[in-house]
Every structure is written in C-alpha cells, then in structure tokens.
Amino acid sequence: MRSRIRGSAMTLAYERRTISRELTVDIPDQSFTVVIGPNACGKSTLLRALSRLLRPSAGAVLLDGADIHRRPAREIAKTLGLLPQSSIAPDGIGVAELVSRGRYPHQGLLRQWSREDEAVVAESMAATGVAELADRPVAELSGGQRQRVWLAMALAQQTPLLLLDEPTTYLDIAHQIEILDLCARLHEEEGRTLVAVLHDLNQAARYATHLIAMRDGQVVATGPPQTVVTAALVEEVFGLPCRVIDDPETGTPLVVPAARRRSPIGVTA
Amino acid sequence: MIVVRTPGGVSLRLHPRTLTVGVTCALLTLAVGVLALGSGDYPMSAADVLRTLVGDGTPAEEFIVHELRLPRLATAIAVGAALALAGAVFQTLVRNPLGSPDLLGFTQGAATGALVVIVVGGTSMMLSGAAAVSGFATGLLVYVIAWRRGVHGYRLVLAGIGVAAILTGINGWLLTRAPLMDAARAVLWLTGSLDGRGWIHALPVLIALALLGPAVLAGAGPALRLMEMGDDSANALGVPVERLRLALLGAAVLLVSLASAAAGPVNFVALTAPHLARRLTRAPGPNLLPSALLGALLLVVADQIAQRAVPGHQLPVGVVTGVIGGGYLIWLLAAERRAGRL
C-alpha cells in the first residue's frame, strides 16, 4: 500500500487542549477513505492537520515524503485540495466566478486566465452538474446546489488528493446521497484520492473503500468497511449496541441500532 | 469579462465595468485637479494651468501652481487614495463592512501622537512624524491584543474598538490640557484639513503609495479576494493566510498613519470609498484599485467644496467628507430598506 499523504506520530492540540497524541495515519493512494467516530473523537482535527490548517505540535504530516509545513503553500495547493466545513460566498459573486477561484494556485500575475483555466472550470462545473447555474448568484442557490458549487471549486484546483470535511452536513438525505455519489464517481473515474469525514456510519460503509475509525483522538481500527464495521467495533467506538446486516442495495455493512428496552411500567394500554 | 491572451502564454482578465469606473475616476480627478490649480485669489484658465504644468508659465504662475496649489492637490490625491486603499484592505481582512481605520483605532492613535506634539509644542514636521509613528504603533498594539494562534476578523474589530475607546479618552484629556490657541489648532487638525499643505506633507504619502500600492494591488490583491471566503478556503487554495494578513495590516496601517500625518484623520473616506467602488463596479471582491482611485477623487472634490461652500471662509476638508460620508451611509441604509434587505 502506497501513501502520498500520511501523518506520522502527530500530537494535535488546540491552545491547551490536546486532542491526539502519537497519532499515525496512512491514506492509501487512490482510496476513498472515510474517517468515522463519535463527536469530539478528533476526526475533524485529523483532517485539519492533513490539510495543514493545524500544525502538529509534535510529529509531522508528510506529503510525498516531505513535511507539509516546509513547502510553499501554493505548491501544496496543487496537490492537496480541501472542501472546508464552512466557507463564505463573497457578496454578489456568481457561480462561474466562484468556481474559477479554484484556479488560484495555477495562476500568476501574467497568467490570470489561460485556456486551460477556462477548460478546467467548465469541466468542473459540468462534473458537478452546476454548468447551467454558471451565471446565477451563489446567494440565490439552495443548500444542495451551493455545496456542489463549492465542490466544483475544489475540483477546479485539480489536485490528485482531495479532503472533505463533513461535506454532507446541513443537507437533506437526497442531497447527501447526491454529493456522495458525486464523490464516488470522482474517485472511480478520475482516480482521485478522497478523504472525507462523515457522521453517518451507513453512508461511510457504503461509499468508503477504506475506513479509519477513531475514538478519544486515537485510531481504533482501519481497513475496508467489511472488516471494520462489526457489531463489536460499533459498540466499542460509539457505545451503541447494534446488529450489522448486509445493505440490501449494495451488500455493504448496515448498522441497525438495537431496539430500546422498554421498561414495563412505561407501557400503558 | 474581457480576456486578453498573447502567444507567449500571458493571459489577463479585465472586468469592463471596473475598467470604466477606474478610468472615469482618474479622468475626473485630473479635470477637477486642473480646475483646482486654476482657482483661488489668482484665477487661471485651464489652458494657462496646463501650460504652466509643462513648464511654459510666467515665474508668478510657476510659483503659484508648483509651490502653492499643486502640493495641496497632490496631498489630497495621495491622502484620498491611501485612506481608501487601506479601508478596502481592512474591510476585507476583518470581513466587516465597517472595518475602517476610524473604527479600529488607528486614526485615533495617529491623533494621540499629533496631540502630544501640539500640547508639548513642536514643529509641524514633528507633528507629522509623531502622528505617523503613533498610528503605526497603535496598529501593532491592536494586532498583538487580537492575536491568538492567528488573528480573526472579529477579534481584530473588538481589540480595535477597545483601543479606539481608550485613545479617544486620552485624546480628550490631552485637549483639555492644551492652552486655548493650541486646542483650536488641535481641533482643526483632528477634523482633517488640507490648508497650507506643502510638498513636505504630500511626499511621504506619495512615496508610500508608490512603494506599497503595487505590492498590495498586484502582490496581494488576488489572495485577498480568496481570504473573503474564509481562512480555511484561502489556506486550502495555497494562500499563506496569517503571514499575508500581517503584511497587509502593516501596509494598510502605514498608509493610514502617513495619510493622517499629512492631512489629519480625514473622516469617512476609508469607510465610504470601498463601498461606493463596489456599488459602481458591481464586481465582487475588495476592488482595491477602483477604491483607491475613487478615494482620490472624493477627497479632491471634497476639498473644492470645502474651499467654496462658504464664501470667504474655508471649511476643513474633514467636515465635508464627514457630511458626504455620513449622508452616504444613511442613504445606503434607506436604499437597503427599500430593497428589503435590512
């Protein structure tokens, strides 16, 4: 297994609060890796470290073998992209204009808008199905459309590695599936390595090729969903008694939480 | 959007409306400038002014234009452009449309230095120097107070407001300590005035603009646009956010301090010009160059109004920019309410 990006013996901390110690993580190339775990388990922190938004206080994030904080930001941005949890659409900006900002790391003072930029932006909008919205103001779009526009911007950056921090939060179920289907397609057809933080275990099991399960800032299990998502592990990581069955649609593991034990006096006729 | 591409791989992107606004502002500034150079106790026609500018005037005309009127005009253009450019940078950095140097305490800081010189006594060179130094020191102070593993917009605004409040108090105390004559001079300075400004006032701002302007516009402009989308997005796109923010804050504070040193803390230009520029260009983003050009135009026009509004008596230019700026803000509120946005 080769990994272009890996975290090596990282200590991750905010101010005085340490989230992870000696955390080592490898992201297999060409995988769709999903990080799962209960709230506050450190999965978003891990993603922030991998995307160099958080500098490890010990250890390092290595991209192609070199410390990510010792290379020019713009160089890194040509290899490693990120869809942050929340971004602000500038006042009055249109869809095409926003997507074109993803070209920044490829541009310069005298190279503001090459034919390649133009083609890549058009492709990115087509891939995410927002081409027909090109001239609309971003502020007028629905949540699902807006998330696809942000994804298009990240795609326009043309990075072989793309990190997604909870890309489905705030979306309804149909739009969640839409975004995940889109990610799966990017992974399969374009061979990009994707790393996403997801809340929904069943979605993670369905879409991921590689899972990283975390608890209390540490990695508890890694591997393909079939081996990671077991009743025992879900109980250990989330503290949730459950059964794991086969997803009738895809055959991937499906977590079914155990029924609530009713107390006898709570039942009334 | 117009795209220009050359065979050598050079590609430029131009926004037609922004181009129109920029060129119009520059031409209007020149026109009003020629008018300003020709008006006063010794009126000159536009043709005479232009002839004198290229060096074909009578000795009297040469003296009046080059030594008396041109420095004042140059100060107005430089101060207006510097304040507006700094204002556009601040508003984008703190992601707050009210993020102007007046609110963040930098102009109050410059005023403190100037007031100390006025109260203690000193030359007008010392006054300018003190204003520049104390304005810049205030910028540093606000940054240090706001810093916590990087500086975030709202922390900067709060730190700035806090420092501004303290400095306003100190400035008031300094004023009450000054003898009546000095206090009157101090209040005039605090209002912002272009009266009697010479090359010694214009040059520092012009030099700072010539050095920092291109660096800010070309070097940081595109990155600043990305910072509008949040630090995480900008970082992901390869912008070294924290380093760039420090550099831009430093540049903007320096411009504001030098502008205040030259003309006093002229009100509202830094706040109004970027808003107005955005409305005119209808382009998203910080609109740095249009803001700067519009700022220069605003101050040149305001100075003309200040000199002519009350016959036989010159108003300080800060009074005019305050009235225009305040009026604009109220009009903006009314317009937004009509549009149902506020």
Side-chain angles (χ1 to χ4, degrees), chain B residues 127-167:
Chain B
L127 191 150
S128 295
V133 169
S134 68
F136 195 71
T138 308
L140 266 181
L141 182 69
V142 170
Y143 186 83
V144 169
I145 293 174
W147 203 88
R148 201 180 90 187
R149 278 187 155 244
V151 166
H152 297 284
Y154 78 99
R155 286 184 65 85
L156 207 62
V157 172
L158 287 179
I161 290 176
V163 170
I166 294 171
L167 288 172

Side-chain angles (χ1 to χ4, degrees), chain B residues 83-158:
Chain B
L83 287 176
L85 181 60
V89 169
F90 285 133
Q91 287 177 13
T92 313
L93 281 184
V94 302
R95 285 184 209 108
N96 188 327
L98 294 178
S100 81
D102 314 320
L103 188 91
L104 297 175
F106 308 137
T107 44
Q108 286 86 344
T112 305
L115 284 173
V116 167
V117 172
I118 289 173
V119 170
V120 176
T123 63
S124 75
M125 263 300 278
M126 281 165 69
L127 191 150
S128 295
V133 169
S134 68
F136 195 71
T138 308
L140 266 181
L141 182 69
V142 170
Y143 186 83
V144 169
I145 293 174
W147 203 88
R148 201 180 90 187
R149 278 187 155 244
V151 166
H152 297 284
Y154 78 99
R155 286 184 65 85
L156 207 62
V157 172
L158 287 179

Side-chain angles (χ1 to χ4, degrees), chain B residues 235-312:
Chain B
N235 259 315
L237 287 166
V239 176
V241 171
E242 202 51 44
R243 221 173 341 137
L244 190 68
R245 182 155 37 214
L246 179 60
L248 279 170
L249 274 179
V253 168
L254 198 62
L255 286 172
V256 168
S257 306
L258 290 173
S260 301
V266 182
N267 247 327
F268 261 70
V269 175
L271 181 75
T272 318
H275 281 289
L276 214 50
R278 258 194 300 274
R279 303 221 135 203
L280 290 174
T281 64
R282 292 191 197 149
N287 278 291
L288 296 177
L289 188 56
S291 296
L293 291 169
L294 199 62
L297 176 63
L298 272 179
L299 204 55
V300 170
V301 170
D303 191 35
Q304 279 307 294
I305 297 173
Q307 291 182 51
R308 293 154 186 256
V310 185

Side-chain angles (χ1 to χ4, degrees), chain B residues 42-237:
Chain B
Y42 181 89
M44 289 165 67
S45 69
D48 285 342
V49 169
L50 292 173
R51 197 164 41 75
T52 311
L53 277 178
V54 296
D56 280 338
T58 66
E61 287 172 339
E62 293 265 337
F63 176 76
I64 287 170
V65 168
H66 287 293
E67 297 304 318
L68 297 183
R69 293 178 188 168
L70 195 54
R72 178 179 187 143
L73 178 66
T75 308
I77 290 175
V79 167
L83 287 176
L85 181 60
V89 169
F90 285 133
Q91 287 177 13
T92 313
L93 281 184
V94 302
R95 285 184 209 108
N96 188 327
L98 294 178
S100 81
D102 314 320
L103 188 91
L104 297 175
F106 308 137
T107 44
Q108 286 86 344
T112 305
L115 284 173
V116 167
V117 172
I118 289 173
V119 170
V120 176
T123 63
S124 75
M125 263 300 278
M126 281 165 69
L127 191 150
S128 295
V133 169
S134 68
F136 195 71
T138 308
L140 266 181
L141 182 69
V142 170
Y143 186 83
V144 169
I145 293 174
W147 203 88
R148 201 180 90 187
R149 278 187 155 244
V151 166
H152 297 284
Y154 78 99
R155 286 184 65 85
L156 207 62
V157 172
L158 287 179
I161 290 176
V163 170
I166 294 171
L167 288 172
T168 304
I170 294 176
N171 291 351
W173 176 72
L174 283 170
L175 267 181
T176 59
R177 302 265 306 171
L180 205 52
M181 279 291 287
D182 291 344
R185 190 173 147 228
V187 170
L188 177 64
W189 189 88
L190 283 175
T191 315
S193 165
L194 290 163
D195 229 14
R197 294 305 191 264
W199 285 114
I200 194 134
H201 299 99
L203 277 177
V205 195
L206 283 172
I207 292 169
L209 264 182
L211 295 178
L212 295 175
V216 171
L217 292 175
L224 195 60
R225 254 202 298 276
L226 301 189
M227 283 165 70
E228 278 188 313
M229 304 190 293
D231 289 0
D232 290 358
S233 289
N235 259 315
L237 287 166

Side-chain angles (χ1 to χ4, degrees), chain A residues 9-219:
Chain A
M10 298 181 292
T11 298
L12 305 178
Y14 297 107
E15 299 278 300
R16 287 178 206 90
R17 203 157 51 91
T18 301
I19 309 291
S20 294
R21 276 200 178 80
E22 290 285 316
L23 180 63
T24 294
V25 169
D26 292 82
I27 307 297
D29 285 351
Q30 264 97 52
S31 69
F32 185 167
T33 296
V34 174
V35 188
I36 54 171
N39 290 340
C41 71
K43 51 189 193 296
S44 276
T45 305
L46 169 64
L47 207 77
R48 288 184 75 78
L50 292 178
S51 57
R52 95 211 124 103
L53 294 178
L54 177 70
R55 186 192 279 266
S57 39
V61 175
L62 304 173
L63 180 64
D64 296 326
D67 188 337
I68 203 167
H69 285 281
R70 297 202 176 173
R71 289 172 53 189
R74 205 187 263 250
E75 285 306 308
I76 302 281
K78 288 181 188 172
T79 310
L80 180 67
L82 167 72
L83 183 68
Q85 216 173 94
S86 60
S87 306
I88 308 153
D91 270 348
I93 197 164
V95 168
E97 168 90 25
L98 187 70
V99 175
S100 72
R101 291 190 174 184
R103 297 301 295 163
Y104 175 78
H106 303 275
Q107 293 170 328
L109 193 54
L110 294 177
R111 194 179 176 283
Q112 298 178 351
W113 193 238
S114 65
R115 278 180 212 291
E116 194 192 339
D117 292 335
E118 198 170 320
V120 171
V121 167
E123 277 167 32
S124 306
M125 289 198 294
T128 50
V130 296
E132 62 275 18
L133 304 174
D135 296 320
R136 293 267 299 277
V138 174
E140 288 178 7
L141 304 183
S142 71
Q145 289 173 324
R146 210 172 301 174
Q147 188 65 335
R148 278 188 284 147
V149 170
W150 286 112
L151 191 56
M153 187 184 92
L155 291 186
Q157 208 174 328
Q158 278 195 309
T159 56
L161 298 159
L162 180 57
L163 312 180
L164 308 122
D165 195 359
E166 300 191 16
T168 54
T169 317
Y170 310 125
L171 299 180
D172 62 41
I173 179 94
H175 287 113
Q176 289 180 15
I177 297 297
E178 184 184 84
I179 291 287
L180 290 169
D181 279 345
L182 187 58
C183 291
R185 212 171 66 230
L186 293 171
H187 165 247
E188 281 160 21
E189 291 172 12
E190 301 186 17
R192 296 197 202 220
T193 306
L194 301 186
V195 186
V197 169
L198 292 182
H199 266 303
D200 188 312
L201 255 181
N202 291 329
Q203 287 177 357
R206 184 184 268 207
Y207 287 94
T209 61
H210 183 79
L211 278 180
I212 298 176
M214 291 184 72
R215 206 187 115 181
D216 299 333
Q218 297 303 321
V219 172

